[in-house]
Amino acid sequence: MTPSETVTPRVASRLSTGGLAVTRHLLVHGPATRGHLSDLLRVSPASMSRLARSLVEDGIVAENTEPDSGVGRPRQILSVVPGARHVVGCKLTATRAYGVACDMLGDVKATTEAALPGPSADGVVPVAATVRVLGQVVSRLGRKVPSLDGIGVSLGGVITDRAVVREGTFLGWRDVDLAAPLRQRTGLPVVVTNDVTALAREQLWFGAGRTHATFGIITVGAGLGFGVVREGVVVEQLIDNGHLLAHAPVDSRGPRCGLGHVGCVAAYLNREDIERRAAAPFADVLRRAAAGDRAAAAHVRGAARALGHLAATFAGALQSTRVVLAGEDIAAVAESPAMAEAVAERLRPGPSETQRCSLDITVAPLSFSDWAQGAAVAGIQAVLGAA
Ligand SMILES: [Zn+2]
């Protein structure tokens, strides 16, 4: 490592279970009084005082007296100190690393990006050279914030033990331990997360999770991705990498997907499948559709309809009304009325049914730095000791 890449490690202590519960509540729901927190977390006022004091000593939490309202005793309000921790989040694509430095609240304080080394003849992006690039990204970001406490890296594929890339779809990686060499290089704790799982972690604390304990995430871009949060817990690894949902049947007279299924979700919605059928890049399909080309418009409408069916199936299986849609291609697809029409059609009750349901589906188009922010939040949760 060259001196310019060296970052000063500050391995912050993980929080106690009680300290983490308080911090998490303050991060997700904002400032609160000691009394409110002790009721909510079912701890005695004396224990709550000890927890608060310890968090204040660690610099994680600040305690301020509420301005005197003139009624009753002034109350002590606890709030998180945003700058108490800083974490780098890094999203890897096939060709680039997108990095952000975030504070405790997941707010982006600095961004950078760098090209990854090209793949070798066997299609594998060299691991050691990638770690070098990540080290440079971390040290660049480290110079823009007071200090760094950890690193979260996210990428498409199957990750185990929050460290090993079992299947790195876009990098040609198999069984690559990414966390160990990066930790060695930077001296900082590292967690590696599937990119959609990282987004689910970000949404759990700072998005849909504020109102729903169970929700689903669908990403549409280079491939279809799924994130699941059940009863406040992120499902770290899907049983099927999303295969069952991505290849659910939509229309038995539809086109075939790359795997040969007739009229499955992927056949309509997967970018590669659309490009193959339209014999044009996806951006061109969108441009032509906007210009009134009927064939191109049919591709977009078909994708939107499949997405509506997918969201409805996902919501039904999860038993949650809340679905978040994200990804580079999502805005263009979700704005077609065909998506909402498909959802409405699926929800239409029979004549004697009394139970009505509506879904809360929101669209959050994601830039690569938004993906990196998800990785940073996964890193913050790991640094604080959250599951
Ligand atoms: Zn299929």
Side-chain angles (χ1 to χ4, degrees), residues 243 246-248 256-267 273:
H243 217 74
H247 295 278
R256 281 178 194 273
C257 78
L259 300 182
H261 303 130
V262 175
C264 74
V265 167
D273 288 85

Side-chain angles (χ1 to χ4, degrees), residues 234-258:
V234 175
V235 175
E236 194 64 34
Q237 205 177 331
L238 304 180
I239 57 164
D240 62 342
N241 203 16
H243 217 74
L244 290 166
L245 286 166
H247 295 278
V250 173
D251 189 336
S252 62
R253 296 157 304 171
R256 281 178 194 273
C257 78

Side-chain angles (χ1 to χ4, degrees), residues 271-288 296 299:
R271 188 199 290 166
E272 270 182 28
D273 288 85
I274 294 172
E275 291 180 335
R276 184 168 41 77
R277 288 194 288 121
F282 186 66
D284 287 357
V285 176
L286 292 180
R287 241 193 318 275
R288 285 185 211 162
H299 285 302

Side-chain angles (χ1 to χ4, degrees), residues 31-48:
T33 63
R34 276 194 199 182
H36 176 73
L37 289 164
S38 74
D39 288 349
L40 195 88
L41 304 171
R42 294 199 188 94
V43 295
S44 68
S47 303
M48 189 59 227

